[in-house]
Amino acid sequence: MNTPPSIPAPVTPPWWDDLSTAVLVTDADLCLLSLNSAAEVLLGLSRERILGHGLGQWLKLDRNLSSRLRSTLSLDQPLTLRARQLEPMRADSFLADVIITPLHGESGRPGQLLFELNAIDRHERISREEQLQKQQAITRAVTRGLAHEIKNPLGGLRGAAQLLASELDDSGLKEYTQIIIREADRLRSLVDRMLGPNNLPRREAVNLHEVLEHVRGLVSVQLPLGLKVRGDYDPSIPDVHADRDMLVQAILNLVQNAVHALEGGGEIILSSRILRQYTVSGHRHRLVAKLSVRDNGPGIPEEIRERIFFPLVTGRAAGTGLGLPIAQSLIQLHDGLIECRSRPGATSFDILLPIQPSNAREGMH
Ligand SMILES: Nc1ncnc2c1ncn2[C@@H]1O[C@H](COP(=O)(O)OP(=O)(O)OP(=O)(O)O)[C@@H](O)[C@H]1O
Ligand SMILES: [Mg+2]
């Protein structure tokens, strides 16, 4: 049970949870009195569980910082920490500008501290995303133009080979025309796959856990011994309004890559989490589902790491380099995005899928 805070928590304004800056208030003993949604996301916490608990239980505070915080209060002077690395216990560490302001109670003496956390690397993430999307839009335009130029003459080539085949009696020569037709078909299907999905999503209420479990079932049938796929789901995620087949395809492409990377030994974890007030592709969403495919394989080869979402970039002899760009296009059709983090021993692909409020209601029973 939480111990009730000794000083009443400040009354928060109605737009408190609409702020993109993470804001929290503590009492003089650094016990949390209130925090907004953006702070919940940054620290990976839910407010029900932590109000009334010491800030140090959720965020690593060294002794120096703790004493500076206390003197902020005793001297009644704001404190600004620039580009400070913060390490929450339940979320990824991040770089932030932190402004701490003493708040005055009715007595006129400062009794509480207001923290504003402005995560700098989140801004970097957003501008990196924008950059990536611009590059992908260019690649798509070039691919589309090129595909058109290839497909037209290819159709002619194939038709001519068919005509020729019908004129030939020699089966040995017919063999050659068959090769032309087969290779033309192969090229056409490659070009079609490079163009990516050409249908709009057929949306319905989709249970993400059912989708993840379905993919787990698909890959589990042919898993080599020594390779495990585990699920770690947040059961509270509502249904999303999405094209189920497209989601299955996107997740399957990620899981298949992880299976290849592990070469028969290791662990893949499929997980789901909910993010609140989260920005995806320049739009802030109230709720975003984060579906992750993590593996403990060797990581993405350094030389292709920056380019893996572009078509035909592959690190495998048998790869075509289309799995990731296709997955990315499928998720982008849902206004979402796939992000990747990779180092040897830990590779993670995160699908960020916005959940619209009306859809969230649709998904509830
Ligand atoms: N989990 C992972 N661990 C290590 N490397 C990865 C991982 N996922 C992707 N990669 C690298 O990214 C490359 C591109 O992946 P992508 O799925 O686009 O193409 P592919 O797997 O090579 O071919 P395919 O078209 O059959 O999917 C892979 O070849 C691999 O080198
Ligand atoms: Mg692949």
Side-chain angles (χ1 to χ4, degrees):
M1 282 291 288
N2 296 346
T3 37
S6 49
I7 307 174
V11 178
T12 54
W15 39 261
W16 178 241
D17 284 329
D18 294 323
L19 289 174
S20 49
T21 304
V23 183
L24 49 94
V25 179
T26 70
D27 66 12
D29 295 323
L30 300 182
C31 283
L32 277 164
L33 297 178
S34 61
L35 77 169
N36 69 351
S37 293
E40 282 183 289
V41 172
L42 260 190
L43 303 179
L45 302 167
S46 76
R47 69 187 82 174
E48 292 80 25
R49 292 181 45 197
I50 61 163
L51 289 182
H53 288 269
L55 185 62
Q57 287 180 30
W58 312 103
L59 192 65
K60 274 189 199 155
L61 298 175
D62 55 48
R63 200 175 298 162
N64 177 25
L65 181 58
S66 301
S67 70
R68 283 180 80 184
L69 291 176
R70 282 179 217 285
S71 58
T72 300
L73 207 56
S74 55
L75 300 173
D76 193 8
Q77 270 175 358
L79 171 68
T80 301
L81 307 167
R82 292 266 172 235
R84 174 107 194 179
Q85 188 73 27
L86 296 180
E87 294 182 37
M89 315 287 188
R90 296 281 179 87
D92 295 340
S93 61
F94 59 93
L95 206 61
D97 286 338
V98 188
I99 303 170
I100 303 140
T101 314
L103 296 179
H104 299 87
E106 277 174 6
S107 64
R109 286 213 314 274
Q112 297 173 348
L113 288 174
L114 170 71
F115 289 72
E116 295 168 67
L117 310 178
N118 207 343
I120 308 167
D121 38 10
R122 294 287 160 100
H123 297 313
E124 278 169 13
R125 175 182 73 81
I126 291 168
S127 60
R128 205 175 51 231
E129 257 179 31
E130 280 168 1
Q131 184 69 15
L132 187 74
Q133 277 186 328
K134 267 190 212 137
Q135 285 173 347
Q136 275 177 342
I138 296 171
T139 315
R140 258 200 299 275
V142 172
T143 313
R144 222 169 268 144
L146 204 61
H148 193 69
E149 290 302 317
I150 292 174
K151 274 168 84 170
N152 280 348
L154 206 58
L157 205 75
R158 191 185 191 281
Q162 266 175 327
L163 279 178
L164 190 60
S166 67
E167 297 288 326
L168 291 173
D169 298 325
D170 183 333
S171 63
L173 290 178
K174 264 190 176 170
E175 176 100 358
Y176 292 133
T177 57
Q178 285 313 315
I179 293 175
I180 299 175
I181 293 171
R182 226 181 19 247
E183 289 301 294
D185 288 345
R186 196 177 62 82
L187 203 54
R188 192 193 161 94
S189 105
L190 177 75
V191 169
D192 280 341
R193 291 209 293 143
M194 271 175 70
L195 281 174
N198 59 358
N199 299 327
L200 286 176
R202 281 204 305 268
R203 294 180 188 251
E204 54 184 330
V206 176
N207 178 324
L208 293 174
H209 302 133
E210 188 273 322
V211 169
L212 288 165
E213 279 299 287
H214 178 69
V215 174
R216 195 157 80 96
L218 287 179
V219 288
S220 296
V221 231
Q222 41 176 350
L223 272 191
L225 276 172
L227 207 163
K228 281 200 303 265
V229 186
R230 191 157 63 79
D232 167 19
Y233 308 138
D234 172 352
S236 72
I237 299 183
D239 286 3
V240 296
H241 202 54
D243 186 314
R244 181 180 179 280
D245 292 343
M246 286 189 175
L247 294 188
V248 168
Q249 185 64 59
I251 300 168
L252 191 61
N253 288 5
L254 302 182
V255 176
Q256 274 170 340
N257 281 348
V259 171
H260 287 135
L262 289 172
E263 286 184 41
E267 188 178 45
I268 299 171
I269 302 174
L270 304 183
S271 69
S272 66
R273 294 288 181 270
I274 194 114
L275 305 173
R276 288 168 211 283
Q277 306 297 348
Y278 201 80
T279 302
V280 180
S281 310
H283 295 280
R284 207 145 76 86
H285 298 274
R286 203 174 65 84
L287 289 180
V288 173
K290 175 170 134 181
L291 311 179
S292 306
V293 178
R294 281 179 283 152
D295 70 70
N296 57 359
I300 297 166
E302 181 91 48
E303 60 279 11
I304 60 167
R305 204 170 285 173
E306 295 296 315
R307 298 178 289 127
I308 48 168
F309 287 107
F310 294 134
L312 306 183
V313 174
T314 181
R316 295 193 296 123
T320 47
L322 289 177
L324 287 176
I326 289 174
Q328 184 69 275
S329 315
L330 292 169
I331 297 304
Q332 283 181 354
L333 281 174
H334 290 82
D335 306 317
L337 189 77
I338 304 181
E339 287 185 342
C340 166
R341 276 172 298 164
S342 181
R343 58 182 164 82
T347 296
S348 168
F349 282 86
D350 298 333
I351 298 179
L352 300 166
L353 203 61
I355 303 175
Q356 309 306 335
S358 58
N359 308 332
R361 269 199 298 279
E362 250 177 53
M364 291 178 183
H365 304 291

